[in-house]
Amino acid sequence: MMYLSLSLFSHSVQASTIMVPNYVKDKVPNATVQGQSRLTMYFFKVYDATLFSPMGQYQEEQPFALSLAYLRDLDGKDIAERSIDEMRDLGYRDTTMLAQWLVEMETAFPDIKEGDVLTGVVDKQQHTTFYFNGQQRHTISDPLFTKAFFAIWLAEGTSQPRMRKALLGE
């Protein structure tokens, strides 16, 4: 897709009264909204991201959830491939592992229509369960995948540092 090669930027989204979904509450004790941000590509709004963490205090090794509310249609396979590109840019280079993760994400990520919500929920074991519009879709039981995937938004080396700051409430 053409958008993959364009510059992206993000900005904070106005804080709103977002309800914590039950499927997040079930795996993230005392979950509250920690931060929100919108990813925009030039003039195109891509998604609004919301980070849910225990009492609004994100810690990588603790349960948390990241929800993406899409503002445009996207192909699930393209989302998976873009995620692999971001992981590679963050230093994950094992081609066998990346290929396995790509297959897992292609299973987890459906084609997206404007208004759809895709949420990754991390449990105590650092497994990631993906929910699509509130319905459980796929679980990836690889803690290294969890670390690499969420680093796309939450690591210091992210390609979107302003989004990271907004999500973390900094």
Side-chain angles (χ1 to χ4, degrees):
M1 285 177 87
M2 186 174 113
Y3 81 89
L4 295 178
S5 64
L6 299 175
S7 295
L8 302 175
F9 64 94
S10 65
H11 67 278
S12 295
V13 174
Q14 277 287 354
S16 61
T17 51
I18 290 185
M19 300 296 294
V20 179
N22 286 333
Y23 58 89
V24 171
K25 289 179 186 177
D26 289 345
K27 290 191 179 177
V28 181
N30 302 309
T32 62
V33 174
Q34 180 160 345
Q36 298 176 284
S37 186
R38 173 170 288 166
L39 180 67
T40 303
M41 162 188 71
Y42 289 105
F43 301 105
F44 301 106
K45 297 172 186 168
V46 180
Y47 58 72
D48 288 334
T50 303
L51 178 63
F52 299 97
S53 59
M55 312 233 334
Q57 299 297 313
Y58 168 77
Q59 294 179 15
E60 182 180 359
E61 66 281 354
Q62 297 297 315
F64 65 91
L66 182 68
S67 186
L68 305 179
Y70 285 88
L71 304 169
R72 61 185 306 110
D73 297 355
L74 294 170
D75 183 79
K77 185 173 180 170
D78 289 340
I79 296 169
E81 289 172 357
R82 177 69 181 161
S83 297
I84 291 294
D85 291 343
E86 291 283 339
M87 291 176 190
R88 193 176 291 114
D89 290 347
L90 287 164
Y92 294 90
R93 305 254 188 243
D94 182 318
T95 56
T96 301
M97 183 174 56
L98 291 171
Q100 291 170 345
W101 291 350
L102 178 62
V103 170
E104 294 275 9
M105 287 188 289
E106 286 174 344
T107 301
F109 304 159
D111 291 340
I112 299 291
K113 299 290 182 206
E114 181 180 349
D116 285 340
V117 178
L118 187 62
T119 304
V121 181
V122 177
D123 65 19
K124 291 181 216 172
Q125 293 78 32
Q126 296 295 292
H127 301 161
T128 301
T129 301
F130 289 100
Y131 293 81
F132 178 63
N133 293 330
Q135 299 298 310
Q136 185 173 337
R137 181 148 174 103
H138 187 68
T139 298
I140 301 175
S141 300
D142 179 350
L144 186 56
F145 167 82
T146 295
K147 182 176 182 169
F149 181 75
F150 291 99
I152 294 170
W153 296 271
L154 301 173
E156 287 188 23
T158 179
S159 64
Q160 298 297 313
R162 286 185 289 174
M163 176 174 273
R164 175 184 182 269
K165 282 187 169 200
L167 289 171
L168 295 175
E170 296 177 351

